[in-house]
Amino acid sequence: MSNVDYKVEVLVGLEIHVQLCTRTKMFCGCELAFGTEPNSRVCPVCLGMPGSLPVMNKQAVEFSILAGLALNCQIPSFTKWDRKGYYYPDLPKNYQISQYDLPLALNGYIEIPTDNGLKKIRIRRAHLEEDAGKNLHTAGNFSQVDLNRAGTPLLEIVTEPDMSSAIEVRTLAEELQRIVRYLGISEADMQKGHMRFEPNVNLVITRAGQQFKTPIVEVKNLNSFRALENSIDYEIGRQLDRFLETGETMEMGNKSTRGWDDAKEVTVLQREKEEAHDYRYFPDPDLVPVRVNEQWLNEIKSRLRELPSKKRLRYVKEYGLSDYDAGVLTNDRTVADFFEEAVKAGSEPKRACNLLTQIGLKLANARGCAITELGPKAADIAQLAQMTQTGEISATAANTILEEMVKTGKAPRELAEQLNLIQKNDAGELEGIVDEVLKSNPQAAADFKEGGKKSGKARGFLLGQVMQKTKGRANPKIAAEILDKKLA
Amino acid sequence: MVFITQDKRQDKITTILDSRFRGNDKRMDWQSAKQLRDKIATRRTNSVEATKAVFTRIAKIEPILGAYISTFEEQAIARAAEIDKRITGGEKLGQLAGVPVAVKDNMCTTFGTTTCASKILANFHAPYNATVVEKLLAADAVIIGKTNLDEFAMGSSTENSGLKQTVNPWDTKRVPGGSSGGSTAAVAAGLCYAALGSDTGGSIRQPASLCGVVGLKPTYGRVSRYGLVAYGSSLDQIGPITQTVEDCALMLNVIAGHDTADSTSVDEKIAPVVDYLAKLDEPVKGLRIGIASSFNAGADEQVRKAIDEAIKTYRNLGATIVEIDMPHLDYAIAAYYMVATAEASSNLARYDGVHYGHRTQNPNDYIEVYTKSRAEGFGKEVKRRIMLGTYALSSGYYDAYYLKALKVRNLIRGDFVRAFEKCDCIMMPVAPTTAFKIGEKVDDPLKMYLSDIYTIAANLAGIPGISIPCGFDDKKLPVGLQILSPAFSEEKLLRIAQMYEKQTDWHKKRPLI
């Protein structure tokens, strides 16, 4: 067997549930809640009380359409709500309001960076539905149900099986996280379960000119990028082993469902055969269909913004930033917006980038806050950058000043003066200092004049002495010019 | 159906009833809801007096009639006293100030229970009021009790109640009709001045006909369904059950209108709500009445006779008769039992013993919480409809049943649209027979389903329909005339009904109970 050549191709499709950050739940007026006391954010509607009726949250629909547009989807002019029936204690009505055959968005794509450039992953559909509650198995012989989460709007995005490695899936998931955050439609906080993944994985194995497809496995309910990537990698290995061992193919086996054991880092079988799940979908008679007319669609379109991948490319092209820097800045919309504001206020892109990536983000991370919450405004950053640009202060001094700005809330110039960081740009004054240095270091001066091997080293030494004498405040450029003139 | 106390009750009743014609109205000192309201407002009587009188009558008659699942005597009298005080204080009160009314027990109230006449909700206390209940309260009505019904409004005789039996006040061996049989029996017997019912396939009109009172099913979307425990959501509609057409208009004034809590309630900019009393007494000039003769032929001879007489009355008032063709009406019952049961199977899924309502004792696992709670809590007819609906929605059958039923529904809608091009309203019987005997049809669901043959089409088409008393058969049982009109034409419909009522005394006849 081991002598036979075979080729393995990986096929992964992904279902992603994204919790939208609307003010209220999908079909009632309860505020979205996380970590509040169980069953404290509920009302007759999300409790599924007899006689209660759902009323559609328009904001959730607009958020979903926005996502659909960002994912290059078609937005049909007519969509509707369907009931998906199944019995589970965390589902108070024993049906979930979802969308069956007419989703809000369909036939789109998302582009992800790969080693071979951008790759298009097709989006099959994106539909809106309500979340269920949570079963808590905490006490003895019974379980409890918390319905705070019940009725939370969820956007389910389904891709085609266009990804061919775990890292591609992860890249897509991360890109999607950035997109929904950019659009402001989800906090996409993994810890809070705002994004949940269900990859479908199988392999196409070509051996001796013959193609074999392994049975599709769906891995349920993954809520971290790490688990997503690792579970797929595990599945690829497991499916290959199993095929080599048993020769089982899609036609023979059946689609199965597996869970991810985070501790053991293995997938575990949950359901062998696709149970005859009959959800008995039918249009929800309590809700009217949604008609998306051109005017509404255009209004929503106007809220679309530049997406992270585009922005990243633009930063490289337009601002001359490195791909790495552009990536760091565009990772978070707040940072990117802040950066662009600083550039607009007069900062050189590279200066603002350095200040923000080297100091700003570090401080924000340490404080667990957004970069905008540190205190300094974008205009302050721009001023600081400009002071560096004009040579008023050194780049190192700018970093120090920014740190102090955050600490004290004072303006950059005030701090520069207070900390004595204004560079000595006065040629006359610097000339005096250079003369002093040359006088007390005749040997070095001689070495420099002589040229040759020792010259460079001596020049560096002399400049260092000038800096030392001025406690680092000499403008290095001007000091070097004077020195070069003196010893020419 | 074994109804143990029936014989005993009957003995008691025979002693109360004499052999006089039951349509005698001499002993009736009753008045309509509007008359009472006006008297209270002008302080010729007061709400406490009226409310107490109703409870005195309830004490005497309710043990025979079984119209109420719960009554709120103390609360009602206290509220009546408060309303009287406000009237004495010169305050301007709502349209139903001080009038004792009843609500079908499938509408949520924060007071008492909301049982839907089901064991599964026998002890259910709703945490909120239905919109219609809020509206009654805002109109200063006095809600005196909640009336019996077929369990979850599924039935045509109120025999499917899981909690009690209601009898017909005209003949206590007979059914009051259903599913709003408690409300119609209570209004007919004077145990309230007006009541609310709900109509999914005829549940207001058919019992109104069998009890000799007025019952209106408004256009779908005219009255909010919020707080009405759903049976068939796309068909359910709340409406008034009253002694007179005028009361019906008054009640509709109170309950009609858009509700932001019900997405299917209609925008008033599209279909404005008017004051249904304002022009009530204006006859409709040049009235054209549509009749589908062949369809009506299925009714009992005596029912047909009463309907023919009623139409003659309209003719005498100058109306013209137009023969209409309703080719798809024959499929109405089949389509209805697909749509209604499919929706019901989903609507009733929530009664599972997990969150509220009846829960089985000592389940082995959570699946048994579902299966046993539901098996113990639901009655036979409810189970039958849940199974029917579940089947109709199952994958592989959806297209053949549910989808096809929706298509038939559209055809029926089309029939009405075409018919209303030629006429202002359509008249037909409400039910093929007058009140039938208790137990007569309980073992034959199909026969029972056919009781709704004339009423179901209006629900499928979403149009309004009214049942008004139009005579008696030779057993002295009331017959109802059904009038159907285009969507949101309630004002005209009530005026048409009023034209007839003014010419006749049928609505003044009271059962001698």
Side-chain angles (χ1 to χ4, degrees), chain A residues 48-52 54-55 83 87-89 94-95 278 286, chain B residues 128 225 227 260 263 346-347 349-350 352 355-356 370 374 395:
Chain A
M49 281 286 168
S52 66
V55 176
R83 292 185 183 177
Y87 282 79
Y88 206 59
N94 286 326
Y95 63 79
D278 188 350
D286 288 333
Chain B
Y128 70 101
R225 292 188 295 118
T260 50
S263 317
S346 167
N347 286 331
R350 70 189 65 191
D352 58 6
H355 301 278
Y356 49 79
Y370 293 145
R374 287 166 71 78
S395 96

PDB file of all heavy atoms in Angstrom, chain A residues 48-52 54-55 83 87-89 94-95 278 286, chain B residues 128 225 227 260 263 346-347 349-350 352 355-356 370 374 395:
ATOM      1  N   GLY A  48     -41.596  32.267  24.590  1.00  0.00           N
ATOM      2  CA  GLY A  48     -42.532  31.434  23.829  1.00  0.00           C
ATOM      3  C   GLY A  48     -43.835  31.223  24.566  1.00  0.00           C
ATOM      4  O   GLY A  48     -44.462  30.165  24.472  1.00  0.00           O
ATOM      5  N   MET A  49     -44.283  32.230  25.320  1.00  0.00           N
ATOM      6  CA  MET A  49     -45.529  32.107  26.075  1.00  0.00           C
ATOM      7  C   MET A  49     -46.710  31.962  25.111  1.00  0.00           C
ATOM      8  O   MET A  49     -46.703  32.526  24.014  1.00  0.00           O
ATOM      9  CB  MET A  49     -45.729  33.366  26.923  1.00  0.00           C
ATOM     10  CG  MET A  49     -44.910  33.367  28.186  1.00  0.00           C
ATOM     11  SD  MET A  49     -45.638  32.210  29.355  1.00  0.00           S
ATOM     12  CE  MET A  49     -44.337  32.133  30.568  1.00  0.00           C
ATOM     13  N   PRO A  50     -47.745  31.235  25.543  1.00  0.00           N
ATOM     14  CA  PRO A  50     -48.931  31.100  24.710  1.00  0.00           C
ATOM     15  C   PRO A  50     -49.452  32.481  24.311  1.00  0.00           C
ATOM     16  O   PRO A  50     -49.498  33.382  25.141  1.00  0.00           O
ATOM     17  CB  PRO A  50     -49.948  30.418  25.630  1.00  0.00           C
ATOM     18  CG  PRO A  50     -49.136  29.748  26.683  1.00  0.00           C
ATOM     19  CD  PRO A  50     -47.881  30.542  26.835  1.00  0.00           C
ATOM     20  N   GLY A  51     -49.816  32.626  23.046  1.00  0.00           N
ATOM     21  CA  GLY A  51     -50.435  33.870  22.593  1.00  0.00           C
ATOM     22  C   GLY A  51     -49.475  34.970  22.197  1.00  0.00           C
ATOM     23  O   GLY A  51     -49.872  35.952  21.592  1.00  0.00           O
ATOM     24  N   SER A  52     -48.192  34.810  22.545  1.00  0.00           N
ATOM     25  CA  SER A  52     -47.252  35.870  22.196  1.00  0.00           C
ATOM     26  C   SER A  52     -46.902  35.772  20.711  1.00  0.00           C
ATOM     27  O   SER A  52     -46.992  34.712  20.116  1.00  0.00           O
ATOM     28  CB  SER A  52     -45.983  35.759  23.045  1.00  0.00           C
ATOM     29  OG  SER A  52     -45.292  34.582  22.733  1.00  0.00           O
ATOM     30  N   PRO A  54     -44.133  37.178  17.459  1.00  0.00           N
ATOM     31  CA  PRO A  54     -42.857  37.810  17.145  1.00  0.00           C
ATOM     32  C   PRO A  54     -43.047  39.067  16.295  1.00  0.00           C
ATOM     33  O   PRO A  54     -43.976  39.129  15.498  1.00  0.00           O
ATOM     34  CB  PRO A  54     -42.140  36.738  16.328  1.00  0.00           C
ATOM     35  CG  PRO A  54     -43.258  36.005  15.636  1.00  0.00           C
ATOM     36  CD  PRO A  54     -44.430  36.032  16.589  1.00  0.00           C
ATOM     37  N   VAL A  55     -42.196  40.037  16.501  1.00  0.00           N
ATOM     38  CA  VAL A  55     -42.151  41.203  15.614  1.00  0.00           C
ATOM     39  C   VAL A  55     -40.695  41.372  15.165  1.00  0.00           C
ATOM     40  O   VAL A  55     -39.791  41.418  15.988  1.00  0.00           O
ATOM     41  CB  VAL A  55     -42.632  42.483  16.330  1.00  0.00           C
ATOM     42  CG1 VAL A  55     -42.480  43.695  15.424  1.00  0.00           C
ATOM     43  CG2 VAL A  55     -44.083  42.340  16.776  1.00  0.00           C
ATOM     44  N   ARG A  83     -40.544  28.435   9.954  1.00  0.00           N
ATOM     45  CA  ARG A  83     -40.376  27.760  11.247  1.00  0.00           C
ATOM     46  C   ARG A  83     -39.635  26.442  11.025  1.00  0.00           C
ATOM     47  O   ARG A  83     -39.982  25.670  10.135  1.00  0.00           O
ATOM     48  CB  ARG A  83     -41.734  27.463  11.874  1.00  0.00           C
ATOM     49  CG  ARG A  83     -42.496  28.714  12.302  1.00  0.00           C
ATOM     50  CD  ARG A  83     -43.768  28.290  13.009  1.00  0.00           C
ATOM     51  NE  ARG A  83     -44.573  29.435  13.393  1.00  0.00           N
ATOM     52  CZ  ARG A  83     -45.759  29.320  13.976  1.00  0.00           C
ATOM     53  NH1 ARG A  83     -46.272  28.111  14.232  1.00  0.00           N
ATOM     54  NH2 ARG A  83     -46.438  30.395  14.313  1.00  0.00           N
ATOM     55  N   TYR A  87     -37.664  19.496  18.872  1.00  0.00           N
ATOM     56  CA  TYR A  87     -37.908  19.593  20.312  1.00  0.00           C
ATOM     57  C   TYR A  87     -36.591  19.609  21.074  1.00  0.00           C
ATOM     58  O   TYR A  87     -35.773  18.697  20.934  1.00  0.00           O
ATOM     59  CB  TYR A  87     -38.744  18.408  20.791  1.00  0.00           C
ATOM     60  CG  TYR A  87     -40.215  18.547  20.462  1.00  0.00           C
ATOM     61  CD1 TYR A  87     -40.692  18.264  19.186  1.00  0.00           C
ATOM     62  CD2 TYR A  87     -41.113  18.991  21.425  1.00  0.00           C
ATOM     63  CE1 TYR A  87     -42.040  18.413  18.887  1.00  0.00           C
ATOM     64  CE2 TYR A  87     -42.467  19.138  21.134  1.00  0.00           C
ATOM     65  CZ  TYR A  87     -42.915  18.842  19.863  1.00  0.00           C
ATOM     66  OH  TYR A  87     -44.247  18.993  19.570  1.00  0.00           O
ATOM     67  N   TYR A  88     -36.383  20.655  21.838  1.00  0.00           N
ATOM     68  CA  TYR A  88     -35.228  20.697  22.735  1.00  0.00           C
ATOM     69  C   TYR A  88     -35.532  21.677  23.863  1.00  0.00           C
ATOM     70  O   TYR A  88     -36.155  22.714  23.617  1.00  0.00           O
ATOM     71  CB  TYR A  88     -33.961  21.103  21.960  1.00  0.00           C
ATOM     72  CG  TYR A  88     -32.705  20.576  22.617  1.00  0.00           C
ATOM     73  CD1 TYR A  88     -32.538  19.204  22.806  1.00  0.00           C
ATOM     74  CD2 TYR A  88     -31.720  21.426  23.090  1.00  0.00           C
ATOM     75  CE1 TYR A  88     -31.426  18.703  23.437  1.00  0.00           C
ATOM     76  CE2 TYR A  88     -30.585  20.934  23.719  1.00  0.00           C
ATOM     77  CZ  TYR A  88     -30.450  19.570  23.900  1.00  0.00           C
ATOM     78  OH  TYR A  88     -29.347  19.085  24.536  1.00  0.00           O
ATOM     79  N   PRO A  89     -35.124  21.345  25.086  1.00  0.00           N
ATOM     80  CA  PRO A  89     -35.555  22.193  26.215  1.00  0.00           C
ATOM     81  C   PRO A  89     -35.107  23.654  26.123  1.00  0.00           C
ATOM     82  O   PRO A  89     -35.744  24.522  26.708  1.00  0.00           O
ATOM     83  CB  PRO A  89     -34.915  21.509  27.426  1.00  0.00           C
ATOM     84  CG  PRO A  89     -34.751  20.087  27.011  1.00  0.00           C
ATOM     85  CD  PRO A  89     -34.454  20.121  25.540  1.00  0.00           C
ATOM     86  N   ASN A  94     -40.286  25.233  20.723  1.00  0.00           N
ATOM     87  CA  ASN A  94     -40.000  23.979  20.029  1.00  0.00           C
ATOM     88  C   ASN A  94     -40.037  24.157  18.509  1.00  0.00           C
ATOM     89  O   ASN A  94     -40.243  23.210  17.757  1.00  0.00           O
ATOM     90  CB  ASN A  94     -40.900  22.830  20.497  1.00  0.00           C
ATOM     91  CG  ASN A  94     -40.468  22.348  21.874  1.00  0.00           C
ATOM     92  OD1 ASN A  94     -39.276  22.348  22.208  1.00  0.00           O
ATOM     93  ND2 ASN A  94     -41.416  21.973  22.698  1.00  0.00           N
ATOM     94  N   TYR A  95     -39.895  25.378  18.088  1.00  0.00           N
ATOM     95  CA  TYR A  95     -39.521  25.657  16.710  1.00  0.00           C
ATOM     96  C   TYR A  95     -38.666  26.913  16.733  1.00  0.00           C
ATOM     97  O   TYR A  95     -38.787  27.744  17.646  1.00  0.00           O
ATOM     98  CB  TYR A  95     -40.718  25.802  15.773  1.00  0.00           C
ATOM     99  CG  TYR A  95     -41.667  26.946  16.051  1.00  0.00           C
ATOM    100  CD1 TYR A  95     -41.354  28.258  15.663  1.00  0.00           C
ATOM    101  CD2 TYR A  95     -42.884  26.730  16.671  1.00  0.00           C
ATOM    102  CE1 TYR A  95     -42.230  29.301  15.904  1.00  0.00           C
ATOM    103  CE2 TYR A  95     -43.770  27.767  16.924  1.00  0.00           C
ATOM    104  CZ  TYR A  95     -43.440  29.051  16.541  1.00  0.00           C
ATOM    105  OH  TYR A  95     -44.304  30.079  16.778  1.00  0.00           O
ATOM    106  N   ASP A 278     -36.306  15.600  10.293  1.00  0.00           N
ATOM    107  CA  ASP A 278     -37.326  16.274   9.515  1.00  0.00           C
ATOM    108  C   ASP A 278     -37.766  17.501  10.306  1.00  0.00           C
ATOM    109  O   ASP A 278     -38.465  17.393  11.294  1.00  0.00           O
ATOM    110  CB  ASP A 278     -38.505  15.328   9.263  1.00  0.00           C
ATOM    111  CG  ASP A 278     -39.509  15.927   8.293  1.00  0.00           C
ATOM    112  OD1 ASP A 278     -39.379  17.127   7.979  1.00  0.00           O
ATOM    113  OD2 ASP A 278     -40.416  15.203   7.864  1.00  0.00           O
ATOM    114  N   ASP A 286     -46.965  33.996  11.534  1.00  0.00           N
ATOM    115  CA  ASP A 286     -47.019  35.148  12.437  1.00  0.00           C
ATOM    116  C   ASP A 286     -46.232  36.335  11.916  1.00  0.00           C
ATOM    117  O   ASP A 286     -46.293  37.425  12.484  1.00  0.00           O
ATOM    118  CB  ASP A 286     -46.474  34.769  13.822  1.00  0.00           C
ATOM    119  CG  ASP A 286     -47.427  33.857  14.576  1.00  0.00           C
ATOM    120  OD1 ASP A 286     -48.638  33.928  14.299  1.00  0.00           O
ATOM    121  OD2 ASP A 286     -46.957  33.083  15.429  1.00  0.00           O
TER     122      ASP A 286
ATOM    123  N   TYR B 128     -49.216  38.254  31.052  1.00  0.00           N
ATOM    124  CA  TYR B 128     -49.567  39.489  30.342  1.00  0.00           C
ATOM    125  C   TYR B 128     -51.007  39.416  29.840  1.00  0.00           C
ATOM    126  O   TYR B 128     -51.595  38.329  29.770  1.00  0.00           O
ATOM    127  CB  TYR B 128     -48.615  39.716  29.170  1.00  0.00           C
ATOM    128  CG  TYR B 128     -48.799  38.742  28.030  1.00  0.00           C
ATOM    129  CD1 TYR B 128     -49.502  39.108  26.894  1.00  0.00           C
ATOM    130  CD2 TYR B 128     -48.315  37.435  28.100  1.00  0.00           C
ATOM    131  CE1 TYR B 128     -49.701  38.220  25.858  1.00  0.00           C
ATOM    132  CE2 TYR B 128     -48.498  36.536  27.075  1.00  0.00           C
ATOM    133  CZ  TYR B 128     -49.196  36.937  25.959  1.00  0.00           C
ATOM    134  OH  TYR B 128     -49.402  36.057  24.930  1.00  0.00           O
ATOM    135  N   ARG B 225     -54.102  39.823  17.251  1.00  0.00           N
ATOM    136  CA  ARG B 225     -54.106  38.455  17.791  1.00  0.00           C
ATOM    137  C   ARG B 225     -53.151  38.325  18.979  1.00  0.00           C
ATOM    138  O   ARG B 225     -53.011  37.233  19.546  1.00  0.00           O
ATOM    139  CB  ARG B 225     -53.659  37.458  16.718  1.00  0.00           C
ATOM    140  CG  ARG B 225     -54.631  37.286  15.573  1.00  0.00           C
ATOM    141  CD  ARG B 225     -54.198  36.150  14.658  1.00  0.00           C
ATOM    142  NE  ARG B 225     -52.944  36.434  13.985  1.00  0.00           N
ATOM    143  CZ  ARG B 225     -51.827  35.723  14.126  1.00  0.00           C
ATOM    144  NH1 ARG B 225     -51.809  34.661  14.925  1.00  0.00           N
ATOM    145  NH2 ARG B 225     -50.734  36.054  13.479  1.00  0.00           N
ATOM    146  N   GLY B 227     -51.777  37.745  22.227  1.00  0.00           N
ATOM    147  CA  GLY B 227     -52.383  37.236  23.455  1.00  0.00           C
ATOM    148  C   GLY B 227     -53.517  36.252  23.219  1.00  0.00           C
ATOM    149  O   GLY B 227     -54.071  35.699  24.155  1.00  0.00           O
ATOM    150  N   THR B 260     -48.774  47.093  17.189  1.00  0.00           N
ATOM    151  CA  THR B 260     -47.363  46.888  16.833  1.00  0.00           C
ATOM    152  C   THR B 260     -46.865  45.517  17.298  1.00  0.00           C
ATOM    153  O   THR B 260     -45.847  45.029  16.798  1.00  0.00           O
ATOM    154  CB  THR B 260     -46.468  47.964  17.473  1.00  0.00           C
ATOM    155  OG1 THR B 260     -46.780  48.037  18.854  1.00  0.00           O
ATOM    156  CG2 THR B 260     -46.686  49.322  16.823  1.00  0.00           C
ATOM    157  N   SER B 263     -47.601  41.559  13.882  1.00  0.00           N
ATOM    158  CA  SER B 263     -47.170  41.959  12.535  1.00  0.00           C
ATOM    159  C   SER B 263     -48.243  41.727  11.491  1.00  0.00           C
ATOM    160  O   SER B 263     -48.203  42.309  10.414  1.00  0.00           O
ATOM    161  CB  SER B 263     -45.933  41.162  12.112  1.00  0.00           C
ATOM    162  OG  SER B 263     -45.017  41.074  13.158  1.00  0.00           O
ATOM    163  N   SER B 346     -47.473  23.017  14.822  1.00  0.00           N
ATOM    164  CA  SER B 346     -46.320  23.814  15.198  1.00  0.00           C
ATOM    165  C   SER B 346     -46.644  24.720  16.390  1.00  0.00           C
ATOM    166  O   SER B 346     -45.855  24.826  17.341  1.00  0.00           O
ATOM    167  CB  SER B 346     -45.890  24.645  13.976  1.00  0.00           C
ATOM    168  OG  SER B 346     -44.977  25.638  14.333  1.00  0.00           O
ATOM    169  N   ASN B 347     -47.809  25.351  16.358  1.00  0.00           N
ATOM    170  CA  ASN B 347     -48.194  26.250  17.456  1.00  0.00           C
ATOM    171  C   ASN B 347     -48.280  25.533  18.794  1.00  0.00           C
ATOM    172  O   ASN B 347     -47.995  26.103  19.837  1.00  0.00           O
ATOM    173  CB  ASN B 347     -49.553  26.897  17.163  1.00  0.00           C
ATOM    174  CG  ASN B 347     -49.461  27.975  16.102  1.00  0.00           C
ATOM    175  OD1 ASN B 347     -48.415  28.616  15.963  1.00  0.00           O
ATOM    176  ND2 ASN B 347     -50.526  28.175  15.358  1.00  0.00           N
ATOM    177  N   ALA B 349     -46.584  22.917  19.689  1.00  0.00           N
ATOM    178  CA  ALA B 349     -45.359  22.207  20.060  1.00  0.00           C
ATOM    179  C   ALA B 349     -44.815  22.702  21.395  1.00  0.00           C
ATOM    180  O   ALA B 349     -44.145  21.976  22.117  1.00  0.00           O
ATOM    181  CB  ALA B 349     -44.296  22.382  18.960  1.00  0.00           C
ATOM    182  N   ARG B 350     -45.113  23.956  21.719  1.00  0.00           N
ATOM    183  CA  ARG B 350     -44.532  24.550  22.927  1.00  0.00           C
ATOM    184  C   ARG B 350     -45.096  23.968  24.216  1.00  0.00           C
ATOM    185  O   ARG B 350     -44.521  24.159  25.281  1.00  0.00           O
ATOM    186  CB  ARG B 350     -44.717  26.064  22.896  1.00  0.00           C
ATOM    187  CG  ARG B 350     -46.138  26.520  23.077  1.00  0.00           C
ATOM    188  CD  ARG B 350     -46.280  28.001  22.815  1.00  0.00           C
ATOM    189  NE  ARG B 350     -46.003  28.322  21.418  1.00  0.00           N
ATOM    190  CZ  ARG B 350     -45.852  29.567  20.959  1.00  0.00           C
ATOM    191  NH1 ARG B 350     -45.917  30.580  21.787  1.00  0.00           N
ATOM    192  NH2 ARG B 350     -45.641  29.777  19.686  1.00  0.00           N
ATOM    193  N   ASP B 352     -45.015  21.430  26.331  1.00  0.00           N
ATOM    194  CA  ASP B 352     -44.157  20.254  26.435  1.00  0.00           C
ATOM    195  C   ASP B 352     -43.823  19.902  27.872  1.00  0.00           C
ATOM    196  O   ASP B 352     -43.044  18.992  28.131  1.00  0.00           O
ATOM    197  CB  ASP B 352     -42.871  20.480  25.629  1.00  0.00           C
ATOM    198  CG  ASP B 352     -42.102  21.713  26.106  1.00  0.00           C
ATOM    199  OD1 ASP B 352     -42.514  22.313  27.127  1.00  0.00           O
ATOM    200  OD2 ASP B 352     -41.095  22.056  25.474  1.00  0.00           O
ATOM    201  N   HIS B 355     -41.465  24.281  30.287  1.00  0.00           N
ATOM    202  CA  HIS B 355     -41.424  25.660  30.776  1.00  0.00           C
ATOM    203  C   HIS B 355     -42.643  26.038  31.616  1.00  0.00           C
ATOM    204  O   HIS B 355     -42.557  26.836  32.525  1.00  0.00           O
ATOM    205  CB  HIS B 355     -41.281  26.629  29.611  1.00  0.00           C
ATOM    206  CG  HIS B 355     -40.044  26.366  28.802  1.00  0.00           C
ATOM    207  ND1 HIS B 355     -38.814  26.844  29.183  1.00  0.00           N
ATOM    208  CD2 HIS B 355     -39.845  25.656  27.679  1.00  0.00           C
ATOM    209  CE1 HIS B 355     -37.914  26.447  28.293  1.00  0.00           C
ATOM    210  NE2 HIS B 355     -38.514  25.721  27.379  1.00  0.00           N
ATOM    211  N   TYR B 356     -43.812  25.512  31.282  1.00  0.00           N
ATOM    212  CA  TYR B 356     -45.035  25.824  32.025  1.00  0.00           C
ATOM    213  C   TYR B 356     -46.072  24.773  31.654  1.00  0.00           C
ATOM    214  O   TYR B 356     -45.861  23.971  30.747  1.00  0.00           O
ATOM    215  CB  TYR B 356     -45.550  27.234  31.689  1.00  0.00           C
ATOM    216  CG  TYR B 356     -45.618  27.500  30.206  1.00  0.00           C
ATOM    217  CD1 TYR B 356     -46.670  27.011  29.439  1.00  0.00           C
ATOM    218  CD2 TYR B 356     -44.591  28.186  29.558  1.00  0.00           C
ATOM    219  CE1 TYR B 356     -46.723  27.213  28.081  1.00  0.00           C
ATOM    220  CE2 TYR B 356     -44.630  28.401  28.190  1.00  0.00           C
ATOM    221  CZ  TYR B 356     -45.702  27.904  27.455  1.00  0.00           C
ATOM    222  OH  TYR B 356     -45.738  28.099  26.104  1.00  0.00           O
ATOM    223  N   TYR B 370     -41.543  15.260  27.446  1.00  0.00           N
ATOM    224  CA  TYR B 370     -42.338  15.660  26.282  1.00  0.00           C
ATOM    225  C   TYR B 370     -43.493  14.707  26.040  1.00  0.00           C
ATOM    226  O   TYR B 370     -44.659  15.091  26.011  1.00  0.00           O
ATOM    227  CB  TYR B 370     -41.475  15.667  25.012  1.00  0.00           C
ATOM    228  CG  TYR B 370     -40.383  16.704  24.967  1.00  0.00           C
ATOM    229  CD1 TYR B 370     -39.171  16.433  24.346  1.00  0.00           C
ATOM    230  CD2 TYR B 370     -40.572  17.973  25.512  1.00  0.00           C
ATOM    231  CE1 TYR B 370     -38.170  17.386  24.269  1.00  0.00           C
ATOM    232  CE2 TYR B 370     -39.573  18.929  25.439  1.00  0.00           C
ATOM    233  CZ  TYR B 370     -38.375  18.628  24.817  1.00  0.00           C
ATOM    234  OH  TYR B 370     -37.400  19.555  24.742  1.00  0.00           O
ATOM    235  N   ARG B 374     -47.415  15.545  27.109  1.00  0.00           N
ATOM    236  CA  ARG B 374     -48.333  15.846  26.008  1.00  0.00           C
ATOM    237  C   ARG B 374     -49.446  14.792  25.908  1.00  0.00           C
ATOM    238  O   ARG B 374     -50.600  15.129  25.662  1.00  0.00           O
ATOM    239  CB  ARG B 374     -47.556  15.956  24.693  1.00  0.00           C
ATOM    240  CG  ARG B 374     -46.747  17.252  24.625  1.00  0.00           C
ATOM    241  CD  ARG B 374     -45.723  17.257  23.516  1.00  0.00           C
ATOM    242  NE  ARG B 374     -46.272  17.360  22.163  1.00  0.00           N
ATOM    243  CZ  ARG B 374     -46.707  18.488  21.605  1.00  0.00           C
ATOM    244  NH1 ARG B 374     -46.682  19.618  22.288  1.00  0.00           N
ATOM    245  NH2 ARG B 374     -47.160  18.497  20.370  1.00  0.00           N
ATOM    246  N   SER B 395     -41.470  16.019   5.445  1.00  0.00           N
ATOM    247  CA  SER B 395     -40.743  16.126   4.179  1.00  0.00           C
ATOM    248  C   SER B 395     -41.213  15.022   3.247  1.00  0.00           C
ATOM    249  O   SER B 395     -41.417  13.874   3.657  1.00  0.00           O
ATOM    250  CB  SER B 395     -39.244  16.067   4.425  1.00  0.00           C
ATOM    251  OG  SER B 395     -38.766  14.776   4.257  1.00  0.00           O
TER     252      SER B 395
END
